[in-house]
Amino acid sequence: MGRSTLRPSVAVVLGLSMGLMVWLSTPCRARVYIDITAPYLRQIPTAVPVFKDLGPKHGELAGNLADLLAETIEFTGFFKILDRASFLEDPKQSGLMQHTINFKNWTDISAELLIKGGIKYQGDLLKVELRLFDTFGGRLITGKRYTGNLKDQRRMVRRFCNEIIRCLTGHEGIFNTQIAFVSTTTGHKEIHIAEFDGYAPRQFTNTKAISLFPAWSSDGRWLAYTDYGRGKPELYIRHIKERQGTIVSLGGTNITPAWVPRRFALAASLSYEGNPALYLLTGKGKIIKRLTRYWGIDVSPTWSPDGKEVAFVSNRSGSPQIYIKNVENGKVRRLTYQGKYNTSPQWSPRGNCIVYTAFSEDGHIDISIIGIEGNTPIQLTSEAGNNESPTWSPDGSLIAFSSTREGRSRIYVMNSNGSNQRRLLVLDGEQTDPSWSPRLSGY
């Protein structure tokens, strides 16, 4: 492919406050296809050499950006990042254009994908050129050029990583998502929010009491949660940026909110009429209707992706188990039978299964997954402390959860098949109750 095909053709201002710009160059031309729905994924050997200086020398910045890109795509679990010590060519000497690359140098070290980059930083203006190559095909898959300020570097890298995932899987990436969670960093249970990879955690609530069960609206603009700031469990519905919203303060408990997909409405467990039952509310906190009616306790709703069914936890059979209700015809069926205590269900974004917390007879708490037809569940964690509160990434490829495997409870992430389990972040105190956001705008 010649130099002309990569010449900038369209300049798009992305509307960011920092004025980041991207030139769309080559469309995706992928040979490799990653099936993120496969039960077992082979990690693709990928080389990410240090980026090349295209202007004044900033070697440390070039290395840091390459490291950031490698770490970002490695987070997905789809890629095996190769050790740079094995590389056969000097990135400072080789070029970025296809005709200047000796692809045999990369196939000889088993690299199937090659990500090359170049930077030019002068004044406060940073220009970054990034390209993804198929080494065995000897061809460019996609390339982008970005221009912005130095503080935009993380967004540039994440946008290109999203481009990589879109080209190789046909799906959007998760690099513009966040995770809300409960942390005792301040000495109280407050809700915090971090980037998908644990970067830049920040405190969201400040009630100096107990905040629990964070839940994102499907547009990512609202967070619902239970708060004891006024002495009893009330349901808060707050706008993420404006920090304004509604408090649902009925008698009894107001807990475990779950937003209806693509609607400004949510389900929650309320007990103002007696035993805790599920109710459907507007985003302003007005009750639309009661969803469940039974003598037992109904909590922890989670919606199917189409919003037609809701799974929840009930003790109507004598112990906490997961049930599914069809909202249209009212029919309820029991989903889990194995184990005496199953809680915290979360419906997969793909709609085919539910992940949940399972208490075993020996006292351990682990994460299991079950198909929505109620087949035999698969245990995803084992012999690693107590593991609770699973939550899906919006593409269904990753699951975040809390675990005590290293002592205090921390947030961990694993692939949807249970592989590649790793800690997300470490803060003072304990971290629990993670909730993964949808894809957010403004990245």
Side-chain angles (χ1 to χ4, degrees):
M1 183 170 292
R3 198 176 286 266
S4 61
T5 54
L6 279 175
R7 195 166 294 152
S9 58
V10 181
V12 179
V13 179
L14 297 175
L16 302 176
S17 60
M18 67 289 293
L20 175 62
M21 300 179 69
V22 57
W23 285 267
L24 306 181
S25 45
T26 56
C28 296
R29 297 180 54 205
R31 176 186 66 85
V32 182
Y33 179 77
I34 302 173
D35 182 4
I36 65 174
T37 66
Y40 298 100
L41 287 170
R42 183 186 70 88
Q43 292 183 320
I44 300 177
T46 303
V48 186
V50 172
F51 293 166
K52 187 172 184 177
D53 280 315
L54 302 177
K57 299 301 180 183
H58 292 280
E60 183 177 358
L61 178 60
N64 290 342
L65 282 173
D67 291 343
L68 177 60
L69 191 147
E71 293 167 2
T72 302
I73 63 167
E74 188 178 32
F75 185 88
T76 65
F78 300 155
F79 306 90
K80 177 185 177 182
I81 305 301
L82 299 179
D83 187 349
R84 289 180 186 143
S86 67
F87 294 178
L88 301 178
E89 73 175 39
D90 183 356
K92 296 180 180 179
Q93 302 300 322
S94 60
L96 300 181
M97 304 304 298
Q98 180 174 324
H99 68 271
T100 68
I101 298 173
N102 184 348
F103 287 104
K104 189 175 185 302
N105 285 339
W106 301 105
T107 57
D108 282 351
I109 62 169
S110 300
E112 297 179 24
L113 295 174
L114 170 64
I115 302 173
K116 304 202 75 173
I119 69 165
K120 184 176 183 179
Y121 180 51
Q122 197 164 14
D124 193 36
L125 191 64
L126 176 64
K127 296 182 178 181
V128 180
E129 190 168 326
L130 298 168
R131 295 174 186 177
L132 171 67
F133 295 94
D134 171 356
T135 60
F136 284 92
R139 64 192 181 111
L140 177 73
I141 295 176
T142 187
K144 297 281 185 179
R145 294 188 180 107
Y146 303 91
T147 299
N149 298 324
L150 183 62
K151 63 183 179 180
D152 304 332
Q153 57 183 291
R154 185 172 293 270
R155 293 194 179 191
M156 294 179 185
V157 167
R158 288 183 174 180
R159 290 197 172 191
F160 189 67
C161 288
N162 266 326
E163 176 71 9
I164 291 173
I165 296 300
R166 183 165 50 249
C167 288
L168 299 183
T169 71
H171 300 273
E172 294 296 318
I174 49 93
F175 307 111
N176 57 344
T177 65
Q178 299 180 350
I179 296 178
F181 57 94
V182 174
S183 181
T184 60
T185 302
T186 63
H188 303 280
K189 289 190 174 183
E190 303 280 8
I191 294 174
H192 290 61
I193 299 175
E195 304 297 315
F196 73 95
D197 55 359
Y199 178 76
R202 65 189 188 277
Q203 187 175 336
F204 181 75
T205 64
N206 188 27
T207 59
K208 297 180 175 60
I210 299 174
S211 300
L212 301 169
F213 313 122
W216 295 85
S217 63
S218 58
D219 63 3
R221 297 179 180 178
W222 298 83
L223 200 68
Y225 57 94
T226 295
D227 199 288
Y228 287 73
R230 302 197 301 183
K232 61 179 182 178
E234 298 173 314
L235 184 65
Y236 281 59
I237 305 171
R238 293 179 63 187
H239 194 277
I240 294 289
K241 293 183 178 180
E242 298 175 0
R243 302 296 182 95
Q244 297 178 350
T246 303
I247 301 175
V248 179
S249 183
L250 300 171
T253 58
N254 306 268
I255 61 174
T256 59
W259 293 86
V260 183
R262 298 174 298 280
R263 287 181 58 188
F264 190 55
L266 66 162
S269 178
L270 311 177
S271 67
Y272 75 100
E273 290 184 313
N275 288 337
L278 301 187
Y279 292 78
L280 182 65
L281 297 83
T282 69
K284 297 295 184 180
K286 181 181 179 181
I287 294 177
I288 299 173
K289 65 179 179 178
R290 183 168 174 167
L291 293 174
T292 62
R293 293 183 180 275
Y294 208 78
W295 62 265
I297 296 173
D298 297 337
V299 295
S300 302
T302 178
W303 291 91
S304 63
D306 60 10
K308 295 181 179 180
E309 295 182 298
V310 60
F312 60 97
V313 175
S314 178
N315 67 347
R316 60 186 62 189
S317 61
S319 66
Q321 299 293 337
I322 298 171
Y323 293 77
I324 293 178
K325 176 171 183 174
N326 186 304
V327 178
E328 294 180 347
N329 61 29
K331 292 182 178 180
V332 177
R333 61 186 174 92
R334 180 173 169 177
L335 180 68
T336 57
Y337 288 87
Q338 183 171 310
K340 295 183 178 180
Y341 204 105
N342 298 307
T343 64
S344 305
Q346 288 292 312
W347 210 305
S348 164
R350 301 170 193 161
N352 62 328
C353 59
I354 289 175
V355 66
Y356 61 98
T357 301
F359 289 63
S360 63
E361 294 183 358
D362 62 5
H364 287 95
I365 306 174
D366 282 297
I367 306 297
S368 291
I369 192 168
I370 187 171
I372 60 171
E373 300 304 322
N375 55 334
T376 302
I378 299 173
Q379 188 172 316
L380 300 180
T381 62
S382 63
E383 301 179 353
N386 291 325
N387 305 275
E388 304 180 70
S389 304
T391 178
W392 293 95
S393 64
D395 65 350
S397 67
L398 297 169
I399 298 170
F401 60 101
S402 63
S403 177
T404 61
R405 62 187 60 191
E406 293 180 284
R408 288 187 165 190
S409 182
R410 307 292 187 198
I411 306 300
Y412 289 76
V413 175
M414 62 181 166
N415 288 84
S416 60
N417 61 5
S419 64
N420 197 21
Q421 298 182 18
R422 67 273 194 195
R423 189 182 62 234
L424 186 71
L425 80 171
V426 174
L427 297 175
D428 291 339
E430 294 192 317
Q431 290 79 53
T432 58
D433 285 356
S435 176
W436 212 312
S437 79
R439 297 178 180 91
L440 305 174
S441 61
Y443 275 71

